[in-house]
């Protein structure tokens, strides 16, 4: 696998020797090939996204399927609002794929709450078999990888992948409830208020015009010791691995 021969891992200069000493040391990439090749090239035949007011005003605003002006979506709590966003995205993706809920073999989904509250409650109402995953910011990509694997192996024909988060529920989960009034530093990132879903289906003549999933590479956990709960960008920076195929 020459593809992995060009990948390099280095220690950030910002880490002192004292910090490094107390951290788990990287073990390097596995010598075993991790590249997953999907020979039947599953297709993404439907999609739907729902976002909040802040997200709709960003540079990607025009690409979202549905933009909400009320972060509670008319619900009494932020948690119920997230469930509603999730349900809307899933059902919208199924409609976009010209399918019915009964056509979906299994749903792979997750969110940021304990015991995947949002996706679990939504799955209960949607009524399809559910595989829950918790990958935080990697949930959607992880779901697509697993869906492609299940379809490429011939186990299912239609799998829906979904993920959601809500700024207010994530703050309560990981930092401080909004009611606490904690001051945020200027550089703090905001968790997205939004939900998205994609329908992945087996390759056939009628699906050949849709985007295909060719391969995937499972990642390796890398901990650089970032402990600032407001600086999510630094914590996730190691995920931006540059692969040089040449």
């Amino acid at each position: 696998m020459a593809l992995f021969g060009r990948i390099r891992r280095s220690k950030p200069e910002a880490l002192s020797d004292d910090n490094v000493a107390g951290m788990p040391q990287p073990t390097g990439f596995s010598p075993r090939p991790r590249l997953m090749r999907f020979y039947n090239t599953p297709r993404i035949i439907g999609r739907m996204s729902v976002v909040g007011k802040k997200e709709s005003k960003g540079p990607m605003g025009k690409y979202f399927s549905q933009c909400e002006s009320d972060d509670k979506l008319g619900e009494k709590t932020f948690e119920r609002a997230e469930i509603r966003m999730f349900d809307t995205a899933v059902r919208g993706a199924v409609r976009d794929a010209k399918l019915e809920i009964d056509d979906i073999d299994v749903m792979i989904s997750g969110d940021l709450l304990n015991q995947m509250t949002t996706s679990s409650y939504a799955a209960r109402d949607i009524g399809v078999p559910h595989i829950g995953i918790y990958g935080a910011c990697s949930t959607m990509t992880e779901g697509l990888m697993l869906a492609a694997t299940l379809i490429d192996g011939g186990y299912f024909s239609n799998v829906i992948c979904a993920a959601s988060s809500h700024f207010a529920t994530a703050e309560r989960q990981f930092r401080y409830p909004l009611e606490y009034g904690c001051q945020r530093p200027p550089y703090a990132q905001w968790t997205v208020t939004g939900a998205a879903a994609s329908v992945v289906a087996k390759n056939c003549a009628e699906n050949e015009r849709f985007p295909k999933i060719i391969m995937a590479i499972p990642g390796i956990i890398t901990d650089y010791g970032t402990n600032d709960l407001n600086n999510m960008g630094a914590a996730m920076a190691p995920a931006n691995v540059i692969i040089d195929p040449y």
Side-chain angles (χ1 to χ4, degrees), residues 206-218:
E206 62 185 33
N207 291 338
E208 285 186 350
R209 61 189 178 91
F210 292 102
K212 57 187 176 181
I213 303 176
I214 299 176
M215 59 184 67
I217 304 176

Side-chain angles (χ1 to χ4, degrees), residues 44-50 65 85-94 96 107-109 126 140 144 159-164 194-200:
I44 301 176
I45 66 171
R47 77 276 187 231
M48 173 72 172
S49 58
V50 184
S65 307
M85 283 195 307
F86 189 102
D87 186 273
T88 301
V90 168
R91 296 182 188 276
V94 173
D96 187 59
M107 179 169 72
I108 303 174
S109 68
I126 293 170
M140 193 65 194
L144 290 171
V159 178
I160 190 162
C161 305
S164 72
S198 296
V199 177
V200 183

Side-chain angles (χ1 to χ4, degrees), residues 102-125:
D102 291 341
D103 296 321
I104 302 299
D105 298 310
V106 67
M107 179 169 72
I108 303 174
S109 68
D111 53 84
L112 295 178
L113 303 184
N114 283 338
Q115 298 177 316
M116 295 178 296
T117 301
T118 300
S119 54
S120 296
Y121 272 78
R124 177 197 63 181
D125 297 334

Side-chain angles (χ1 to χ4, degrees), residues 20-98:
V20 173
M23 292 172 48
Q25 300 302 306
T27 58
F29 285 99
S30 168
R32 299 175 62 85
R34 295 184 294 117
L35 189 66
M36 301 169 63
R37 177 71 164 86
F38 304 120
Y39 292 97
N40 294 322
T41 57
R43 306 293 170 133
I44 301 176
I45 66 171
R47 77 276 187 231
M48 173 72 172
S49 58
V50 184
V51 300
K53 184 176 181 180
K54 180 182 287 291
E55 290 71 23
S56 66
K57 292 183 178 180
M60 303 295 292
K62 64 181 180 179
Y63 298 107
F64 297 122
S65 307
Q66 182 173 318
C67 299
E68 298 287 345
S69 59
D70 176 16
D71 284 343
K72 280 192 174 180
L73 282 75
E75 300 288 344
K76 292 183 178 180
T77 66
F78 293 117
E79 285 78 9
R80 290 301 309 176
E82 185 176 346
I83 293 172
R84 182 170 177 178
M85 283 195 307
F86 189 102
D87 186 273
T88 301
V90 168
R91 296 182 188 276
V94 173
R95 287 195 302 271
D96 187 59
K98 305 294 191 297

